[in-house]
Amino acid sequence: AGTRLAEHLLQSLKEETTSEDTTMHPITLVGYSIGARVVMHCLEALDNYATENRDSRALGLVENAVFLGAPLAARHQRWLQARRVVAGRLINGYSSRDWMLRLV
């Protein structure tokens, strides 16, 4: 699902840049629980696209990304990839008392 979301965003980027109105509208992605995983996969796919195709337009395409209760591993490289794509704020909201996240 994250890859499909990234493909949709990239298609929108292509349409926006080929149209006469070159105003880019800010995109904010918000994901809760499993939805946060989808957002992370989308950001990773956008970063991979930018790297493989040497297309810097994909970097900064997303203005803000918010993760709430995200069952994500805290791998440094993964967060760096997400950070490269997000132009504004990258927020990871969680509770240290969330026992479900401890299980994941």
Side-chain angles (χ1 to χ4, degrees), residues 8-27 57 61:
H8 178 73
L9 289 174
L10 289 169
Q11 183 61 36
S12 296
L13 173 68
K14 290 174 187 172
E15 290 171 6
E16 290 277 339
T17 55
T18 57
S19 72
E20 292 180 19
D21 178 24
T22 58
T23 304
M24 290 294 294
H25 302 286
I27 298 170
R57 294 177 303 165
L61 178 61

Side-chain angles (χ1 to χ4, degrees), residues 35-45 67 72-73 78-79 82:
R37 290 179 62 94
V38 172
V39 171
M40 179 59 88
H41 286 294
C42 173
L43 298 177
E44 289 173 335
F67 301 94
L72 298 169
R78 189 173 205 187
W79 289 101

Side-chain angles (χ1 to χ4, degrees), residues 59-81:
L59 303 177
L61 178 61
V62 175
E63 182 178 16
N64 301 302
V66 180
F67 301 94
L68 299 172
L72 298 169
R75 288 191 356 248
H76 186 69
Q77 182 61 31
R78 189 173 205 187
W79 289 101
L80 285 177
Q81 277 186 293

